[in-house]
Amino acid sequence: MSRHPARRALMAAALVCAALGLVSCGADPDTSVQSSDAADTPACKLLRPVSVEFGLGQPSVSEMSGDGCTAHSHEFGTLTVTMRDRPLEAAATGQGKRSTMKFGDHDAVMLMGSLNGVCKIFLDTGEKNSLELRLGRTTAMTPQVCTSLKKATAKVADDLPAAAPASASG
């Protein structure tokens, strides 16, 4: 016998909702617009074109951060985009081989090797903000994962407004 049948039932309902793509379970259809729909978060808006292009599943709000959005496919892996309220250099922290690069007008820092099969790229979005893109894949070595993440980052960068020069006054 379970000592917490209500908690187990609630957990089962939550898992069913998650499996259905975070569609609001039990909500009145007229109020579903007010629900926390993944399609409305800024990170998910950035991730959606990438998820379509790379055959990932429908993006959903990241379980690790409400500022993030995640999409997954067995072949590509789990791609997470997280909005950061910090400039690039402050956000680009962690372990791994550090490389600087550019995607269009946007400066970026890649961390490769912090975990096997995981790569992170931090992308400058201007106005002292940045994005963290993280790709994890258990079926590939880290350099292959970083190559895939560079392609996804290029797509995200294409959808961002051009970065303003640091010396611009307004």
Side-chain angles (χ1 to χ4, degrees), residues 22-168:
L22 295 175
V23 174
S24 174
C25 287
D28 179 12
D30 294 333
T31 62
S32 62
V33 173
Q34 297 174 357
S35 70
S36 173
D37 187 9
D40 295 332
T41 68
C44 287
K45 287 179 181 178
L46 286 171
L47 183 54
R48 186 169 298 102
V50 176
S51 67
V52 169
E53 184 170 320
F54 292 95
L56 301 170
Q58 183 66 25
S60 61
V61 175
S62 173
E63 292 179 14
M64 299 174 86
S65 166
D67 294 330
C69 190
T70 300
H72 173 80
S73 78
H74 179 70
E75 290 185 22
F76 193 80
T78 301
L79 178 62
T80 302
V81 174
T82 305
M83 311 293 276
R84 299 288 182 207
D85 289 331
R86 292 177 283 184
L88 178 63
E89 287 305 314
T93 60
Q95 297 178 356
K97 180 182 174 192
R98 185 180 176 99
S99 305
T100 58
M101 53 191 64
K102 277 188 109 43
F103 291 91
D105 293 336
H106 302 276
D107 292 327
V109 173
M110 181 175 75
L111 293 178
M112 177 172 55
S114 58
L115 295 170
N116 192 28
V118 175
C119 188
K120 292 181 181 182
I121 295 179
F122 299 87
L123 185 65
D124 180 30
T125 59
E127 298 183 23
K128 299 186 181 185
N129 294 311
S130 57
L131 289 176
E132 176 185 337
L133 293 94
R134 179 187 187 278
L135 179 60
R137 187 180 338 166
T138 57
T139 59
M141 298 301 289
T142 304
Q144 295 168 318
V145 175
C146 287
T147 297
S148 296
L149 184 57
K150 287 178 188 176
K151 293 175 186 174
T153 302
K155 176 67 177 161
V156 169
D158 285 347
D159 293 339
L160 292 173
S167 62

